Amino acid sequence: MQQKLNKLENEIRKSLEQARDTATLEEIRIKYLGRKGAINRLFKELTHMSLEEKKAYGEAINDLKSKVTAELNLALQKFMDKSEGKFELLLPGKMPPLGHFHPLSKVFDDIVTFFKSHGFTIETGPEIEYDWYNFEALNMTKDHPARDMFSSFFIKEDLLLRSHTSPVQIRTMEKQKPPIKIICPGRCYRYDAFDASHSPVFHQVEALYVDEDVSFGELKWILSEFVKNIFGPKTKYELRPSFFPFTEPSGELAISCMVCGGTGCSVCSNSGWLELLGCGMVHPNVLKNVKISPKKYSGYALGMGVERVAMVKYIIDDIRVFFNNDIRFLEQF
Ligand SMILES: [Zn+2]
């Protein structure tokens, strides 16, 4: 009997070593471990044996059974591991998460693209600016009360972090004679508290067009095109009188509320309108400061906060969300 067991064990081991796929392993299982398999057949031979022999060989057969079961499972596991690797090669790959533009970058890009398509070129300038460019040349002398509108970060008496992008207009007009048709996108700084509607760092885009006979009508036209392009063709707009030291006359553009469409809601304080940007005809004093004759030339200027445009467009009531980098907010764009 023991010889039989040894022979069978060797036979099974050989078959397992030669097996090259799971189907063969299944055949081996049926042949040796199946209900009518070789090992179970051995148990039948015990019936003719003495009690002692039954006990001894019964244990030996059971040992062989568990040994073979374990080896078969091991061999099966090896094939499963291999085939899993093989299947992974065939499965479609997992897409890595895609990045996308920050809402401010998107709005920035929309604004710049609009003006570029209307013949404006991009000009940039330093973020640390002289008082002359930030204020004086823009018709705000040292004691001008309008300076209070800009809570500026001064570095030295004559040097500050620019509080708007208008200094770039002055720098451009100093080095270039009309026709001038530029936009100045960039970062600006004011010592405002960081709250729902203020940020000490923010972005602006300004547009300036200076040539002979540039009229207020042209300003109105570009504004209407801008509103249609950025906010949609159905958006209504309203141009109201305003005051800026560097433009005369000055205006403020408001558009119909993106939430209620103009009927009044909590977002627009029931007015139906949302203020968007400031604009006007370049003040003759500004042209004189850069040695462009206001008798021969005229121009319009307009400037907007990029955050403001994004807040109006996407109906966001807290400017801080642009800077908190909360992925749950950013992923919505
Ligand atoms: Zn509203």
Side-chain angles (χ1 to χ4, degrees):
M1 184 67 171
Q2 189 58 51
Q3 266 183 347
K4 239 186 196 175
L5 286 175
N6 290 345
K7 206 184 145 201
L8 191 62
E9 191 178 340
N10 284 335
E11 191 187 314
I12 297 172
R13 194 157 287 153
K14 219 178 226 172
S15 317
L16 285 176
E17 277 168 13
Q18 284 167 355
R20 291 287 172 268
D21 51 50
T22 48
T24 316
L25 288 178
E26 180 60 9
E27 280 169 22
I28 295 170
R29 194 190 65 79
I30 294 166
K31 187 175 173 188
Y32 298 102
L33 293 170
R35 206 156 49 87
K36 292 176 182 172
I39 292 176
N40 274 349
R41 281 204 306 270
L42 285 176
F43 283 113
K44 280 180 189 160
E45 290 181 26
L46 294 179
T47 49
H48 313 292
M49 289 180 184
S50 70
L51 207 62
E52 278 172 16
E53 279 179 324
K54 268 186 194 166
K55 209 184 159 198
Y57 289 122
E59 268 179 30
I61 298 169
N62 271 327
D63 280 351
L64 179 67
K65 197 176 176 180
S66 12
K67 221 191 273 177
V68 171
T69 309
E71 279 178 31
L72 191 80
N73 284 341
L74 205 69
L76 201 63
Q77 192 60 51
K78 274 184 197 163
F79 278 116
M80 297 284 270
D81 289 348
K82 270 190 203 160
S83 60
E84 252 179 43
K86 202 155 73 186
F87 278 129
E88 259 180 36
L89 288 176
L90 301 172
L91 284 170
K94 283 177 193 160
M95 275 290 282
L98 278 180
H100 49 84
F101 286 109
H102 190 281
L104 284 183
S105 302
K106 267 178 90 167
V107 171
F108 225 126
D109 199 46
D110 287 349
I111 298 170
V112 170
T113 304
F114 168 80
F115 283 105
K116 271 168 86 176
S117 72
H118 286 80
F120 289 78
T121 54
I122 298 173
E123 287 289 336
T124 54
E127 289 177 20
I128 297 175
E129 195 50 280
Y130 291 106
D131 188 280
W132 165 258
Y133 290 106
N134 198 80
F135 289 125
E136 280 205 51
L138 287 157
N139 201 28
M140 283 180 279
T141 46
K142 286 266 193 295
D143 53 357
H144 200 293
R147 284 188 177 220
D148 291 346
M149 288 161 66
F150 307 88
S151 33
S152 308
F153 282 113
F154 272 89
I155 297 165
K156 288 198 284 189
E157 204 197 331
D158 211 25
L159 212 57
L160 70 155
L161 296 180
R162 69 178 180 195
S163 41
H164 48 174
T165 46
S166 310
V168 183
Q169 300 186 6
I170 302 297
R171 286 179 175 273
T172 307
M173 288 191 286
E174 271 184 353
K175 65 178 187 209
Q176 192 187 323
K177 292 296 149 205
I180 294 168
K181 206 172 182 186
I182 56 156
I183 51 166
C184 325
R187 207 176 290 142
C188 313
Y189 304 84
R190 290 183 200 176
Y191 68 82
D192 290 320
F194 194 33
D195 61 25
S197 45
H198 299 90
S199 166
V201 183
F202 58 100
H203 303 83
Q204 275 193 342
V205 179
E206 290 201 346
L208 172 75
Y209 178 32
V210 181
D211 202 354
E212 288 177 38
D213 303 321
V214 174
S215 69
F216 198 89
E218 278 170 278
L219 170 63
K220 250 186 95 175
W221 178 80
I222 196 87
L223 289 172
S224 70
E225 287 297 299
F226 177 77
V227 170
K228 270 188 263 173
N229 188 283
I230 302 291
F231 299 97
K234 284 186 183 157
T235 315
K236 283 177 252 155
Y237 68 96
E238 191 177 77
L239 199 55
R240 306 159 176 173
S242 183
F243 169 79
F244 301 108
F246 31 81
T247 45
E248 182 58 38
S250 302
E252 202 168 64
L253 183 82
I255 63 166
S256 53
C257 175
M258 302 297 284
V259 178
C260 60
T263 52
C265 70
S266 62
V267 173
C268 56
S269 309
N270 284 318
S271 68
W273 296 98
L274 295 168
E275 283 162 21
L276 191 69
L277 58 83
C279 57
M281 300 305 289
V282 180
H283 198 291
N285 287 350
V286 175
L287 294 176
K288 275 185 217 157
N289 284 338
V290 290
K291 304 194 170 48
I292 290 176
S293 164
K295 285 189 184 120
K296 191 174 176 194
Y297 296 103
S298 58
Y300 68 69
L302 60 99
M304 68 196 87
V306 179
E307 283 81 357
R308 177 71 189 158
V309 177
M311 286 168 85
V312 168
K313 183 167 180 171
Y314 297 122
I315 312 158
I316 293 165
D317 59 2
D318 193 327
I319 197 171
R320 289 170 291 196
V321 292
F322 293 124
F323 306 102
N324 288 343
N325 284 332
D326 186 333
I327 200 85
R328 291 168 299 178
F329 165 73
L330 297 175
E331 271 179 347
Q332 297 172 46
F333 297 90

